[in-house]
Amino acid sequence: MRSMTDQDAWAIQKTIMQTEFPFIVLKSLQFALFRTYGIPTISTLLLKTSQLSNSTTSFKRYADTGTLIGEFMAFDPRSERAQTAIARTNFLHKGYRASGKIIEADMLYTLSLFALEPIRFVRQFEWREMTDMERCAVGTYWKSLGDALGISYTALPSGKIGFQDGIHWLEEIGVWSEQYEVQHMKPHPRNKEIAEKTIDVLVYNLPNFVKPLGRYFVSHLMGDRLRAAMIMEEPPALFSGLLALTFKLRKLYLRYLSFPRPNFMRLDVFTDKPNKHGRNWVLIYDGAPFYVQPTIWNRWGPMAWFKWALGQPLPGDDGDRYYPQGYHTYELGPKYFEGKGNKELEDFKKTLRQQRLGQCPFP
C-alpha cells in the first residue's frame, strides 16, 4: 500500500464509484459539499458571491461544482480532461485564496470531507464496508489531489515529515477534520440561509407534496452537529426509524439477493469524447438540466414526462439557458469567469504535466 500510485488509486476508486457503491458514493460526495456549509467562514463567502444565495445562479453553481469535481475523478489523472478540471478549480480559487477570503484550513477541511464522507456513508448504508485496499486508494487519490490543488498538510502531525500511505493520511486528516468541526462548525444564520437554498436544489426533483419528506431525509443525514450548525429541525422519530429500516432492507437485498453489477450497468456521468461542438455532455443530473443533451429520450422518455408533470424544464428548453450543446471544462464556473483565466489555466496545466504523472504521492 505504501507504493500504491495515484494511477492505481484512481482506478480502484473509479470501480468503487461506478460498480460497487454508485448510488451511495455519489450521494456522499454531494453531501460532502453540503457539509462544508456548516462552517460560517465558508457559508458567508458563498453568500457574498451570491452564487448560492440567488436562485437564478444556485442551480448552475451546483452543476458546475459537481461537473468540475466529477471531471477530475472520472478521468485518468494524467489525462487532459482531469488536468484541465484541476487547473480550472485552481484558477477559480486563486484570487480568493490570495486575498485571504478563502482560509487555507477551510480548503483542507473541504478536501478531508471528499475523502472521508464516502467511506463513512458506505460503512453506514452499504452492504459491506470498504476494504483496507479501497480505503488506501481513497486516501492516496485525495492526498495526491490536495497536492495538485496546492493544499498544505502542515496542520497534520506528519504533514512536514510525510505520510506512510493512504490509510495513514486518512487517519490523520480524519482526526484533524473532527477537531476542526468541533471548533468551527457553530450555529449561524448564514449557515441556515445557504442550507435552505441548497436543500431546494437537492429536493428539486420531488413533487411538492413529497418535498417535506425530502427535507427530513437531508436532516436525518446531517447528524446532530451539522443540524445544529444549520439551525435545522430534527426529523420525527418515526421517519428516522422507517428510513433506518429501509436502508437495512436495502443492505440485506444487495448482500444476499442481488447479482454483482455488470460493467454495462456502471455509473457514467459524462460522455467520453467531445461532441461536434467540441464540448462534453452530462449524462445524469439532479437539478436543472445544465449541459444535458436534448435527445429524444431526454425530452420524451419517462423521466421527461415526470419532469414535465412537475413543471420543470427539460434539456433543450429556454434556448441556450441550460447549455444544451454541452460544456467546455475550462469555462465552468460563475458567469463572470467565463472566457477568463486562460493564461493561468495553461500555467497550472504545465505544472501538472510535469508533476502529476500518476506516481505514488508518498516518499
Side-chain angles (χ1 to χ4, degrees):
M1 291 188 188
R2 293 186 180 188
S3 62
M4 182 182 289
T5 66
D6 189 25
Q7 182 73 17
D8 294 333
W10 167 78
I12 295 167
Q13 182 175 252
K14 189 174 182 181
T15 300
I16 294 171
M17 292 177 57
Q18 288 193 319
T19 58
E20 282 296 290
F21 318 113
F23 174 77
I24 290 298
V25 169
L26 181 61
K27 294 305 173 188
S28 72
L29 292 170
Q30 294 170 341
F31 200 79
L33 187 64
F34 179 68
R35 192 172 186 86
T36 64
Y37 306 155
I39 305 294
T41 49
I42 296 176
S43 60
T44 299
L45 177 61
L46 287 170
L47 286 173
K48 284 183 178 179
T49 63
S50 79
Q51 290 303 296
L52 282 177
S53 59
N54 188 333
S55 59
T56 61
T57 58
S58 59
F59 283 96
K60 185 177 185 299
R61 197 270 181 184
Y62 181 80
D64 286 351
T65 302
T67 303
L68 275 174
I69 295 170
E71 280 272 307
F72 56 66
M73 292 185 69
F75 297 98
D76 188 316
R78 302 164 297 183
S79 69
E80 179 74 11
R81 288 183 70 169
Q83 293 188 354
T84 300
I86 294 171
R88 182 62 173 175
T89 302
N90 267 328
F91 167 72
L92 293 175
H93 289 94
K94 179 182 177 182
Y96 295 110
R97 294 174 73 178
S99 66
K101 293 179 180 178
I102 291 181
I103 302 170
E104 288 303 308
D106 284 346
M107 290 289 293
L108 182 60
Y109 173 68
T110 302
L111 180 76
S112 76
L113 293 183
F114 283 111
L116 297 167
E117 288 297 276
I119 296 173
R120 182 176 72 86
F121 268 59
V122 166
R123 182 188 305 117
Q124 187 172 354
F125 300 117
E126 273 293 353
W127 59 278
R128 67 168 176 87
E129 294 188 26
M130 289 191 193
T131 64
D132 284 347
M133 182 187 70
E134 289 169 331
R135 292 192 300 111
C136 184
V138 172
T140 301
Y141 175 84
W142 287 101
K143 193 275 180 185
S144 174
L145 187 74
D147 293 337
L149 293 173
I151 296 175
S152 171
Y153 297 126
T154 55
L156 306 183
S158 303
K160 293 182 180 180
I161 61 175
F163 305 92
Q164 295 179 4
D165 54 33
I167 292 180
H168 181 206
W169 180 84
L170 274 177
E171 290 172 345
E172 289 200 3
I173 203 169
V175 172
W176 178 88
S177 183
E178 172 71 15
Q179 293 172 345
Y180 194 73
E181 281 194 1
V182 171
Q183 294 174 6
H184 299 281
M185 187 174 279
K186 304 295 184 181
H188 198 288
R190 292 192 180 96
N191 295 352
K192 181 174 178 60
E193 184 177 349
I194 204 165
E196 294 288 351
K197 296 293 184 182
T198 307
I199 291 174
D200 287 343
V201 176
L202 296 176
V203 301
Y204 177 74
N205 286 325
L206 299 178
N208 287 335
F209 69 92
V210 180
K211 285 184 178 180
L213 296 180
R215 295 177 67 85
Y216 285 155
F217 176 74
V218 175
S219 179
H220 175 81
L221 294 180
M222 285 183 185
D224 294 336
R225 182 184 300 148
L226 180 59
R227 191 184 301 116
M230 291 183 165
I231 319 176
M232 301 290 293
E233 293 183 4
E234 186 175 356
L238 177 61
F239 178 86
S240 296
L242 290 174
L243 196 60
L245 177 61
T246 301
F247 275 112
K248 181 66 175 178
L249 293 175
R250 180 181 180 273
K251 280 185 182 182
L252 294 173
Y253 168 75
L254 289 175
R255 185 170 184 84
Y256 297 109
L257 300 176
S258 178
F259 288 105
R261 183 174 286 101
N263 192 53
F264 73 87
M265 291 181 64
R266 68 186 183 276
L267 176 69
D268 278 323
V269 182
F270 310 104
T271 51
D272 287 330
K273 297 180 180 179
N275 56 34
K276 63 181 181 180
H277 308 289
R279 299 167 177 261
N280 298 295
W281 278 305
V282 171
L283 299 176
I284 63 173
Y285 62 102
D286 287 330
F290 283 98
Y291 315 123
V292 180
Q293 184 181 13
T295 61
I296 293 176
W297 178 259
N298 287 337
R299 288 189 58 82
W300 295 97
M303 182 56 68
W305 281 98
F306 176 74
K307 288 181 172 294
W308 175 81
L310 295 178
Q312 296 177 0
L314 300 175
D317 283 356
D318 298 330
D320 293 332
R321 178 178 179 182
Y322 299 109
Y323 300 77
Q325 295 180 344
Y327 63 90
H328 288 303
T329 306
Y330 57 80
E331 290 185 343
L332 290 170
K335 191 79 173 177
Y336 48 78
F337 279 125
E338 283 188 12
K340 297 179 181 178
N342 291 334
K343 182 182 183 305
E344 291 92 336
L345 186 93
E346 289 304 318
D347 290 341
F348 281 129
K349 287 169 65 175
K350 182 178 179 180
T351 301
L352 290 172
R353 292 189 192 105
Q354 296 171 349
Q355 298 179 357
R356 198 164 195 248
L357 305 175
Q359 73 275 26
C360 178
F362 304 105

